[in-house]
Every structure is written in C-alpha cells, then in structure tokens.
Amino acid sequence: MSKNGYDFYKRINLVGPLIPYGKVATYGQIALLCGKPDNARQVGYALRSGRTAEDFPAHRLLNNRGYLSGRNSFATPELQRELLLREGVPVSEDYLVNLKQFGWHHTLAEAEELYLRFTQLGI
DNA sequence: TAGGTGACGCGGT
DNA sequence: CACCGCGCCACCT
C-alpha cells in the first residue's frame, strides 16, 4: 500500500498481464477488475505516467469503442496496431478493433480469484 | 489549497 | 452511427 493508502497501481500490474495473447481489454474493464469501476481514467494515466510494470501489455488496451488511443512512445496507436496485427488481432486503418470478437471476456470466476489475490497480498 | 488535466465511459440528442 | 455534456478521480501545478 502506498503512503497515501492507494494500491490501485499494484493491482493494475497484476491484472494487465492476464489479458490473453490475441485479445484486447478496455480501460474500464481493467479498472473494474481492480475493484475500482470508476477509475478507467486512472488506468490510462498509469500507463501514460510510466507506472506500469515491464511485462504490462500496453498495446492490448483500448477504449470502450474499440479504438486504440495510446499516448506515449511505448504505445502509439500505430505501434499498438503493429503489435496486435502481429498476434492475430485485426485492426482497421483507423485503428478500430472489433471488441465483440477480440475483446477479452473475462469470467466472474477470474474476477473473484483476482479479488482474493488482492486480499491475500493486502493491496 | 484550489483549480486544471486526461491512454475514460455513459447517457442523451 | 456521431457528437456532446457531464461525472469521474488521482495527479500535478
């Protein structure tokens, strides 16, 4: 837990790597899995400000409309597109991904297991 | 301390 | 569909 009592970023770094290869996830979805459904903006902020771990698949994150919106050198929409195409995720010329088909539809069990893990880690 | 900012999201038009 | 307004909330001046 950080000095101000905030543990959101630690949770993010545990959730991110769970996004399956060949799938994408939304900022809001990650926030929800972190137990903070209203913190979608903070997920983007975490990446923008370099608070995410090395193994965080930043290219697999997009907004709720399916648009790639990376904002730093590690994940520009162009780079995200390149990486996603490489792992078999179709991305249109205007950086749009079909969330229905390639979104990560996590299960309730996965969400519950994460919550348990956070509790065990005290974060 | 107050106010501005934003890799967001939802609901309304 | 698209566009807009507004709520959101940790961070940073």
Side-chain angles (χ1 to χ4, degrees), chain A residues 1-110:
Chain A
M1 198 178 281
S2 59
K3 51 185 173 183
N4 69 338
Y6 205 62
D7 51 23
F8 189 61
Y9 304 116
K10 288 183 180 176
R11 292 189 178 194
I12 285 181
N13 283 316
L14 288 182
V15 176
L18 298 183
I19 304 171
Y21 179 96
K23 292 288 183 181
V24 293
T26 66
Y27 301 98
Q29 179 182 4
I30 299 306
L32 177 64
L33 286 172
C34 286
K36 304 278 185 177
D38 294 326
N39 283 30
R41 303 189 80 145
Q42 277 56 236
V43 174
Y45 179 78
L47 288 148
R48 183 80 175 89
S49 61
R51 278 163 211 246
T52 48
E54 284 297 319
D55 63 342
F56 196 103
H59 65 288
R60 297 190 189 127
L61 280 196
L62 33 59
N63 66 30
N64 203 45
R65 303 172 331 206
Y67 282 102
L68 303 180
S69 50
R71 285 293 176 93
N72 68 27
S73 58
F74 296 103
T76 61
E78 293 80 5
L79 181 55
Q80 289 191 84
R81 179 167 189 269
E82 200 62 32
L83 294 172
L84 287 174
L85 289 176
R86 194 174 300 172
E87 53 187 76
V89 178
V91 182
S92 68
E93 285 297 324
D94 50 344
Y95 309 104
L96 178 63
V97 174
N98 186 324
L99 276 180
K100 287 295 181 186
Q101 293 182 49
F102 297 92
W104 172 34
H105 303 307
H106 70 265
T107 64
L108 177 58
E110 287 175 300

